[in-house]
């Protein structure tokens, strides 16, 4: 089975990565040996909305994450859910979907916050 490494540089412009790829040896190798490209984001193009679309494969109106906070009907407006958690998704992230199928797919999810 092949391996997939998905690298998300939140807030990084693709043109900057291309400009400095020779100074960033790891990214230079990924660009030379892997598959890469410039992606179009969803609207609004903020972290939780974009990542929810990426992880679920669905647009914001279909995955339930349309902003940084999620307001639930019949719940107080001062207690919204955070959209920075995959528990707020209406649909399952792709790694959950694949784990339920009769496949040998395994996932490792990691984040680095700086």
């Amino acid at each position: 089975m092949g391996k997939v490494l998905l690298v998300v540089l939140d807030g990084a412009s693709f043109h900057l990565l291309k400009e400095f790829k020779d100074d960033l040896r790891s990214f230079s190798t990924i660009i030379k040996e892997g598959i890469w490209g410039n992606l179009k984001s969803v609207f609004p193009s903020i972290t939780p909305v974009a990542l929810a679309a990426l992880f679920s494969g669905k647009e914001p109106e279909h995955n339930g994450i349309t902003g940084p906070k999620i307001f639930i009907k019949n719940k107080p407006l001062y207690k919204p859910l955070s959209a920075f958690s995959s528990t707020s998704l209406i649909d399952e992230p792709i790694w959950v979907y694949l784990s339920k199928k009769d496949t040998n797919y395994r996932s490792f999810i990691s984040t680095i916050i700086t």
Side-chain angles (χ1 to χ4, degrees):
M1 177 187 332
K3 295 182 181 179
V4 174
L5 172 64
L6 173 64
V7 177
V8 177
L9 301 174
D10 189 24
S13 296
F14 189 69
H15 75 278
L16 288 177
L17 179 60
K18 285 186 359 185
E19 182 178 334
F20 294 107
K21 73 177 175 7
D22 294 330
D23 298 323
L24 306 166
R25 283 185 282 151
S26 295
F27 289 109
S28 181
T29 301
I30 290 171
I31 288 172
K32 287 177 188 170
E33 298 178 15
I35 298 171
W36 57 274
N38 193 8
L39 302 176
K40 182 178 177 184
S41 190
V42 294
F43 180 82
S45 58
I46 57 177
T47 300
V49 179
L51 292 181
L54 176 66
F55 296 158
S56 69
K58 297 189 176 180
E59 295 178 344
E61 58 270 16
H62 299 290
N63 68 32
I65 309 295
T66 57
K69 295 182 180 179
I70 300 169
F71 298 94
I72 307 297
K73 187 176 182 177
N74 298 324
K75 297 270 183 172
L77 288 176
Y78 60 88
K79 289 191 176 185
L81 294 175
S82 172
F84 285 91
S85 168
S86 63
T87 59
S88 301
L89 282 171
I90 291 174
D91 285 315
E92 298 171 327
I94 189 69
W95 56 88
V96 173
Y97 173 80
L98 290 174
S99 70
K100 290 181 178 180
K101 295 291 181 187
D102 187 21
T103 65
N104 291 322
Y105 291 112
R106 291 179 289 159
S107 301
F108 172 78
I109 312 301
S110 178
T111 59
I112 299 173
I113 301 171
T114 59

